[in-house]
Amino acid sequence: MTSLSQILLGWLGLNVLAWLLSVLVFRAWARSVRWTENGLMPDAVPFTAGEGSDAVLFVHGFNDVPAVWRRFVEPFVEKGFQVEALHLEGLGDGRMGLWFDFPLLRWQQAVTARVNALAKNHRRVFLVGHSMGGALVLDAVYRHDRWRKGVQDADAKIAGAVLLAPLVEVSRARAPILSAGAWFALCRLFLPGLRCVPSVFPSVQGAEDDPSFRYRRDRFMTVSVLGAMFRLVRRLRTLDLSEIATPLQVYVAGNDRVVDTSEAKSYFASCPAVQALTEVPDAPHVLPLIAPWRKLSTQIADEFFSFVD
């Protein structure tokens, strides 16, 4: 009995220490960052560009910010699209969130709200998502098509979507023995007091071909955002892809160590709405920042015109 009490006290003490250290470290980092008046990193501020009768909503990925799209949107603007880069709560905003409050629902609501707002003033709305943003875009398209199916004569609000290195499954390149999801579940079980962990990605991200193109993002990954990401991955496994009618274009990275490319290929093979699944040879995960980014972006912008009205 004494040994059990000691184990429980040790576990409790360890979690108190984990909570205290993670909160102190996170707040120390947050004090070192310059925040806008809205509480965002400058590179996390959403932005719009261009004018046109068609709109494109860009959704960034996990541990990223809207700045990842700054160059990538240029060909869309040149071709007459209005573009908007969305910001996802909990990323680049310095908020830890409550350990039990995963913002997945609010991410879904944010995407839907922007689609509805853009649809009021534009002929067509397209979505482009990278990584976790690609998963959110797919989820939004699925919910949109289910809604249209249930509402007779409902007009389409989403004309088409492009998924860049979509997060169907986290790569095991950085998760030895167990999957990343399993490690997270174990951490939640044994260290529920932990509020954040250091990011495995650099806090200053740059373009593959241009050292001057750099932006800042989070130094730590909060438990709330991690939990939302894994919930989203699990949700994708429940979707009936045969119910998707909106045209999709999928691009995967040939040298992806963040998401599992083979899992993505297998997953989308059963989706009849996928018009093309293209692998970008030797490309790393962040496709908007690869050296041939303009070629890729221009190709996507050109293909948008081929979508059926």
Side-chain angles (χ1 to χ4, degrees):
M1 194 66 162
T2 303
S3 59
L4 179 58
S5 299
Q6 290 174 338
I7 292 173
L8 289 175
L9 285 174
W11 174 83
L12 180 60
L14 180 62
N15 274 279
V16 170
L17 183 62
W19 174 83
L20 182 61
L21 287 178
S22 58
V23 169
L24 290 177
V25 169
F26 185 89
R27 289 181 176 175
W29 165 76
R31 286 195 294 270
S32 71
V33 177
R34 179 171 65 90
W35 305 98
T36 68
E37 60 182 13
N38 294 325
L40 301 178
M41 284 182 171
D43 292 320
V45 175
F47 66 87
T48 61
E51 295 181 356
S53 60
D54 292 330
V56 188
L57 180 66
F58 289 83
V59 185
H60 66 81
F62 175 76
N63 203 187
D64 218 336
V65 289
V68 70
W69 300 114
R70 277 206 308 258
R71 297 188 313 175
F72 203 77
V73 302
E74 291 175 7
F76 293 85
V77 173
E78 293 164 2
K79 292 181 181 296
F81 290 97
Q82 178 180 321
V83 303
E84 178 176 322
L86 180 71
H87 167 254
L88 297 176
E89 176 187 329
L91 296 163
D93 63 13
R95 287 180 288 181
M96 293 195 73
L98 300 175
W99 70 271
F100 54 83
D101 181 25
F102 301 147
L104 175 56
L105 177 60
R106 294 192 292 280
W107 291 345
Q108 293 170 316
Q109 292 171 337
V111 175
T112 299
R114 292 316 305 155
V115 168
N116 291 341
L118 290 169
K120 290 180 180 179
N121 301 309
H122 295 86
R123 182 170 62 102
R124 300 180 297 182
V125 178
F126 299 95
L127 302 181
V128 178
H130 171 250
S131 192
M132 187 182 76
L136 283 169
V137 164
L138 178 65
D139 175 66
V141 168
Y142 178 80
R143 290 184 288 108
H144 167 269
D145 288 354
R146 293 260 308 200
W147 165 76
R148 286 190 66 204
K149 197 173 182 179
V151 180
Q152 190 174 9
D153 299 324
D155 293 331
K157 295 187 177 183
I158 302 175
V162 175
L163 315 178
L164 303 176
L167 176 58
V168 172
E169 187 61 69
V170 179
S171 170
R172 298 187 67 156
R174 294 183 174 89
I177 305 176
L178 301 176
S179 68
W183 281 116
F184 178 74
L186 286 173
C187 182
R188 292 279 294 159
L189 178 63
F190 292 106
L191 284 174
L194 194 65
R195 299 292 302 281
C196 68
V197 295
S199 173
V200 297
F201 309 113
S203 57
V204 178
Q205 178 67 293
E208 192 178 58
D209 61 315
D210 183 3
S212 69
F213 185 89
R214 299 170 71 81
Y215 63 88
R216 298 189 67 87
R217 54 189 185 179
D218 293 312
R219 175 69 183 84
F220 294 94
M221 299 183 289
T222 64
V223 168
S224 59
V225 171
L226 276 165
M229 180 194 70
F230 286 116
R231 282 190 175 186
L232 177 60
V233 170
R234 291 195 298 271
R235 172 169 167 73
L236 291 193
R237 295 299 182 182
T238 70
L239 305 186
D240 181 359
L241 299 184
S242 66
E243 296 197 49
I244 296 179
T246 299
L248 302 176
Q249 299 275 351
V250 181
Y251 291 82
V252 296
N255 187 29
D256 202 326
R257 300 183 70 250
V258 178
V259 307
D260 192 321
T261 293
S262 62
E263 283 288 333
K265 288 180 177 179
S266 175
Y267 181 79
F268 287 106
S270 62
C271 182
V274 173
Q275 295 188 339
L277 195 159
T278 305
E279 181 170 337
V280 184
D282 302 318
H285 176 64
V286 190
L287 290 178
L289 301 181
I290 61 176
W293 69 271
R294 180 171 283 278
K295 178 181 177 182
L296 177 61
S297 180
T298 301
Q299 177 182 339
I300 294 171
D302 286 339
E303 288 174 349
F304 272 13
F305 288 108
S306 70
F307 281 118
V308 178
D309 287 322

